């Protein structure tokens, strides 16, 4: 039983990272109906920016954290401007292929610049562990959970209670109508990318701290799993991404503990396929009818 | 009519036989060495993969990202049949293709209800699940892979299979079935309201594409001595996708040309593997932004028809 709760705790801290990445997927999908394949790689770039900030610039945790978020926000906006904006009216598949191209460009560009060798992440947080009658919770896990929760609450407030958030919701609801109401659709899309990428950058740095190890291909699997999390919760729905992320993290931790860790990656895709076949709109989504 | 058909087909027949003879003779004379030949075999396998994926992605418009998974099924089936059961190669080729087709049916039936990007991710998911299953299957060597000592794959087999793939898929596309597939690509709802059984044709195209991916897998397994789960990951699926996208989604000759070009580029860039991937990804982005249909679009290369008439005005066939 202790083992079960231990895995739940591990799963929740992993899941909050998935949730952070999934938020970016969901926001971008909600606004331009694009599965931003490169999102997982933006998270990787965030981890590397954090690595440089702490090792080369010798910054402490929080400045490095902000730097990773800011760097990824800018990167997200640049990618949107160069690769996706010319394709605003192209078919979904064209956008998806472009996104795959961007993803590979980031991965192999980073390998080219940094060599494929994994790097050891500096220890930025205390490694103290609390022991609650057999349950071990590390400071890092608590920290990841708290940071993820704070960021999600901030995002929720931003989307629901600010003018910029209102504009984002309007664009995601109906792009043309929003433009007619005087909303600058291009800049809304641009800062949606910035926001989503900043969250991915935050997740990248947190993962670097948690696992102590980063490499240029680290974004592929978490990126895909976060996408599954977004679909699980209902893509385009912000709270759905949080729920989906946590569920994915827990499912993965339980499978690797009680079944076999080699099935860890398969479980994510099995969840994806089941959810797509049973409830394609996701757990929190509403069913929509296609119109001709 | 028959005469005209022969006149149109003859240039292709001459080209096919000609390329075969040139490569066989130069290889027999030692002008093309083993290194050249293995690259030619790789080109052939890439053409089979590209053309078969083009049937699914380009012609039927069902965006699949799991083609390497079907290739893996074929490769493992082939490896098991020759190594554990001593099957002859032609039987292995057929069984590898059939096994991949069956898996294609099992995967295609549920997932082809999905559309566009969801289908892409679902097929990607199935491809990854297949890979994880092979990693966990100790009978075929797990993550370390399976060694294939019989090197059955040679130029002649690859050439025959490549030509067979192109002919079968081309003829399928020229038939009523193929037109149904293209109609589904253009507008699924309109096609369905014209009485086309969209599920049937989507699954059929998926099965046919998977079959040839399986055949390519068998050829691959017997050309490279070893099959490992890692060689059939997402990266491989994307490499096949690049061939289809660059050549043109909906152009068989485009896929053939792209497969040749991509393989040659890989060979040239062997010392700089990462640069090669950067080049591919830039090519994907640039082609999508500036020429979203791919280099050939939906056009095919046309060879001029040969005139068999001996003299001006002479009637050869029936009027």
């Amino acid at each position: 039983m202790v083992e079960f709760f231990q895995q739940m705790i591990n799963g929740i801290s992993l899941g909050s990272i998935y949730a952070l990445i999934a938020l970016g997927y969901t926001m971008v999908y909600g606004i331009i109906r694009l599965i931003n394949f490169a999102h997982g790689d933006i998270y990787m770039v965030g981890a590397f920016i954090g690595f440089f900030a702490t090792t080369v610039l010798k910054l402490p945790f929080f400045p490095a954290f902000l730097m990773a978020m800011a760097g990824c926000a800018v990167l997200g906006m640049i990618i949107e401007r160069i690769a996706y904006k010319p394709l605003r009216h192209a078919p979904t598949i064209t956008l998806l292929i472009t996104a795959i191209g961007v993803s590979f460009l980031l991965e192999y560009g980073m390998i080219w610049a940094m060599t494929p060798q994994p790097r050891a992440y500096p220890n930025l947080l205390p490694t103290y562990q609390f022991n609650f009658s057999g349950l071990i919770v590390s400071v890092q896990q608590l920290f990841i959970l708290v940071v993820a929760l704070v960021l999600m609450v901030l995002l929720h407030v931003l989307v629901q209670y600010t003018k910029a958030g209102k504009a984002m919701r309007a664009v995601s609801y109906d792009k043309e109508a929003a433009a007619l109401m005087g909303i600058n659709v291009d800049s809304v899309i641009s800062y949606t990318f910035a926001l989503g990428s900043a969250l991915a950058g935050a997740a990248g740095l947190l993962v670097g701290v948690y696992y102590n190890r980063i490499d240029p291909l680290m974004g592929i699997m978490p990126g895909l799993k976060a996408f599954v999390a977004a679909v699980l919760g209902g893509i385009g729905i912000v709270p759905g991404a949080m729920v989906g992320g946590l569920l994915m993290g827990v499912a993965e931790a339980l499978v690797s503990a009680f079944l076999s860790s080699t099935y860890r990656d398969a479980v994510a895709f099995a969840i994806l396929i089941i959810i797509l076949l049973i409830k394609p709109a996701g757990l929190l989504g509403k069913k929509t009818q296609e119109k001709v | 009519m028959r005469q005209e058909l022969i006149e149109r087909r003859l240039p292709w027949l001459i080209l096919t036989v000609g390329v075969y003879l040139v490569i066989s003779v130069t290889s027999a004379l030692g002008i093309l060495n083993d290194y050249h030949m293995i690259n030619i075999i790789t080109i052939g396998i890439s053409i089979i993969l590209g053309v078969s994926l083009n049937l699914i992605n380009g012609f039927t418009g069902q965006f699949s990202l799991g083609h390497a998974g079907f290739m893996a099924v074929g490769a493992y089936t082939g490896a098991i049949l020759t190594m554990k059961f001593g099957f002859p190669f032609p039987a292995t080729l057929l069984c590898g293709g059939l096994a991949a087709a069956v898996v294609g049916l099992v995967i295609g039936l549920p997932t082809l209800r999905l559309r566009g990007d969801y289908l892409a991710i679902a097929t990607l998911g199935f491809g990854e699940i297949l890979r994880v299953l092979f990693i966990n299957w100790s009978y075929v060597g797990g993550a370390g892979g399976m060694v294939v000592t019989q090197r059955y794959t040679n130029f002649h087999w690859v050439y025959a299979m490549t030509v067979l793939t192109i002919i079968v898929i081309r003829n399928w596309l020229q038939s009523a079935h193929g037109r149904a597939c293209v109609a589904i690509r253009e507008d699924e709802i309109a096609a369905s309201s014209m009485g086309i059984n969209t599920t049937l044709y989507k699954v059929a195209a998926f099965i046919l594409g998977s079959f040839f991916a399986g055949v390519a897998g068998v050829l691959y397994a017997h050309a490279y001595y070893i099959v490992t789960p890692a060689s059939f990951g997402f990266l491989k699926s994307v490499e096949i996708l690049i061939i289809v996208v660059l050549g043109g989604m909906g152009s068989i000759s485009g896929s053939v040309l792209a497969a040749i070009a991509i393989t040659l580029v890989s060979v040239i860039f062997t010392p700089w593997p990462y640069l090669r991937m950067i080049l591919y990804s830039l090519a994907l982005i640039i082609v999508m932004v500036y020429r979203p249909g791919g280099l050939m679009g939906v056009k095919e290369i046309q060879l001029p028809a040969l005139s068999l008439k001996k003299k001006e005005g002479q009637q050869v066939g029936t009027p």
Side-chain angles (χ1 to χ4, degrees), chain B residues 55-133:
Chain B
L55 173 66
I56 302 172
N57 280 15
F59 288 100
T60 319
Q62 305 303 310
F63 197 81
S64 162
L65 274 177
H67 217 51
F70 302 115
M71 189 187 171
V73 172
Y76 273 104
T77 310
I80 292 169
L81 289 180
T82 43
M83 293 308 295
K84 312 247 175 185
F85 299 100
F87 268 46
F89 193 52
T92 308
L93 275 172
L94 185 66
C95 292
L98 288 177
V102 169
V103 175
L105 173 70
V106 171
I107 293 177
L109 263 184
T111 50
L112 285 169
R113 287 168 29 194
L114 306 167
R115 271 155 211 238
D117 36 14
Y118 279 100
L119 174 66
I121 303 289
T123 46
L124 192 168
F126 266 117
E128 288 296 304
I129 290 175
L130 282 175
R131 193 173 62 84
V132 173
L133 290 180

Side-chain angles (χ1 to χ4, degrees), chain A residues 28-286:
Chain A
V28 167
Y29 190 88
I31 216 148
I32 58 168
R33 300 280 174 274
L34 157 73
I35 296 175
N36 186 8
F37 239 90
H39 197 63
D41 302 297
I42 293 178
Y43 143 93
M44 174 274 291
V45 173
F48 271 88
I49 294 176
F51 178 78
F52 265 96
T54 48
T55 53
V56 179
L57 304 176
K58 305 263 184 266
L59 291 175
F61 181 81
F62 265 105
F65 189 71
L66 292 178
M67 204 173 144
M69 286 181 75
C72 286
V74 173
L75 178 68
M77 283 161 82
I78 295 174
I79 290 173
E80 195 274 330
R81 187 78 189 67
I82 295 175
Y84 303 145
K85 201 178 170 197
L87 297 170
R88 202 53 57 80
H89 302 287
T92 336
I93 292 308
T94 310
L95 266 169
L96 185 67
I97 296 171
T98 316
I100 294 175
V102 173
S103 161
F104 274 73
L105 186 63
L106 289 177
E107 283 161 18
Y108 288 90
M110 189 59 95
I111 288 186
W112 198 44
M114 301 289 302
T115 75
Q117 265 72 47
R119 273 146 214 277
Y121 223 71
N123 246 329
L124 299 175
L125 294 173
T127 46
Y128 185 76
Q129 290 182 327
F130 299 103
N131 193 332
F132 303 105
S133 58
L135 278 184
I136 296 167
V137 184
S138 70
V139 173
Q140 295 176 346
Q141 282 175 323
L142 283 177
F143 200 81
I144 287 174
L145 198 60
V146 170
V147 169
L149 280 177
V150 168
L151 287 176
M152 286 180 211
V153 169
L154 279 179
L155 181 75
H156 187 74
V157 169
L158 188 96
V159 171
Q160 293 298 331
Y161 303 106
T162 65
K163 213 168 175 185
K166 210 177 199 175
M168 276 170 64
R169 282 182 289 143
V171 172
S172 110
Y173 196 78
D174 190 329
K175 223 185 282 175
E176 277 78 31
L180 288 174
M181 296 299 124
I183 295 171
N184 187 343
V185 174
D186 281 339
S187 70
V188 170
I189 293 174
S190 190
Y191 69 65
T192 305
F193 266 89
L195 265 180
S197 307
L199 292 178
L205 187 125
L206 290 176
V207 159
V209 172
Y210 189 40
Y211 289 119
N212 286 323
R213 181 178 178 281
I214 56 169
D215 69 272
L217 296 182
M218 67 186 267
I220 303 177
M221 268 298 151
L224 291 174
K225 285 175 188 165
F227 170 74
V228 177
V231 174
L232 179 63
I235 199 152
I237 308 164
V238 169
M242 303 178 195
V243 174
L246 290 176
L247 282 177
M248 280 284 305
V250 169
E252 201 183 310
L254 292 181
V255 166
S256 39
F258 297 110
L259 210 61
S260 157
S261 63
T262 42
Y263 284 111
R264 225 176 58 193
D265 295 344
V267 105
F269 294 109
I271 291 179
L272 172 77
I273 288 157
I274 292 168
I275 196 87
L276 283 180
L277 296 178
I278 295 173
K279 204 169 183 314
L283 293 178
L284 305 185
K286 281 192 290 283

